[in-house]
């Protein structure tokens, strides 16, 4: 499901205009990004938790040339699913 499909599904379920659903989804993503950018965590009971993850620098290899290269450290995001989400995914 892409962003437009999500907006359409939200609109159908909530009976709100797609424009309003798009604005809410964009605001949600902005808030999530801002909080994670501050090093915070964002958790939804039963669904899961998003948190910042610092990846360290490490040696890598260019797959085309086989040449060794250093992969620079970067910040990424981890998601830990909640129990309710895991139960839904596993048919319980």
């Amino acid at each position: 499901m892409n962003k437009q499909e999500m907006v359409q599904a939200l609109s159908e379920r909530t009976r709100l205009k797609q424009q309003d659903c798009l604005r809410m989804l964009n605001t949600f993503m902005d808030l999530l990004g801002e909080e994670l950018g501050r090093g915070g965590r964002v958790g939804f009971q039963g669904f899961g938790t998003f948190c910042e993850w610092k990846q360290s620098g490490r040696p890598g290899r260019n797959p085309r040339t086989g040449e060794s290269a250093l992969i620079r450290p970067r910040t990424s995001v981890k998601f830990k699913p909640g129990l309710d989400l895991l139960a839904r995914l596993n048919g319980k």
Side-chain angles (χ1 to χ4, degrees):
M1 176 179 280
N2 63 30
K3 187 176 180 181
Q4 184 56 41
E5 292 168 339
M6 176 65 80
V7 167
Q8 191 171 5
L10 283 170
S11 178
E12 289 170 5
R13 287 196 183 189
T14 63
R15 297 185 186 144
L16 295 172
K17 293 180 184 177
Q18 285 191 17
Q19 180 179 356
D20 294 334
C21 292
L22 177 62
R23 188 176 311 119
M24 284 190 298
L25 186 58
N26 285 337
T27 302
F28 169 78
M29 291 189 308
D30 288 344
L31 290 170
L32 185 66
E34 289 169 11
E35 184 61 27
L36 291 171
R38 287 192 292 264
R41 301 171 69 102
V42 179
F44 301 100
Q45 185 72 34
F47 181 74
T49 303
F50 297 89
C51 62
E52 182 183 272
W53 175 48
K54 303 275 186 187
Q55 291 182 320
S56 58
R58 60 197 187 279
R61 177 171 299 203
N62 182 327
R64 285 193 183 149
T65 64
E67 182 180 332
S68 294
L70 180 65
I71 299 172
R72 288 186 263 175
R74 68 183 188 129
T75 302
S76 190
V77 176
K78 279 192 176 183
F79 175 74
K80 181 179 178 190
L83 295 177
D84 293 346
L85 178 58
L86 288 173
R88 178 178 283 182
L89 293 174
N90 290 293
K92 295 180 181 174

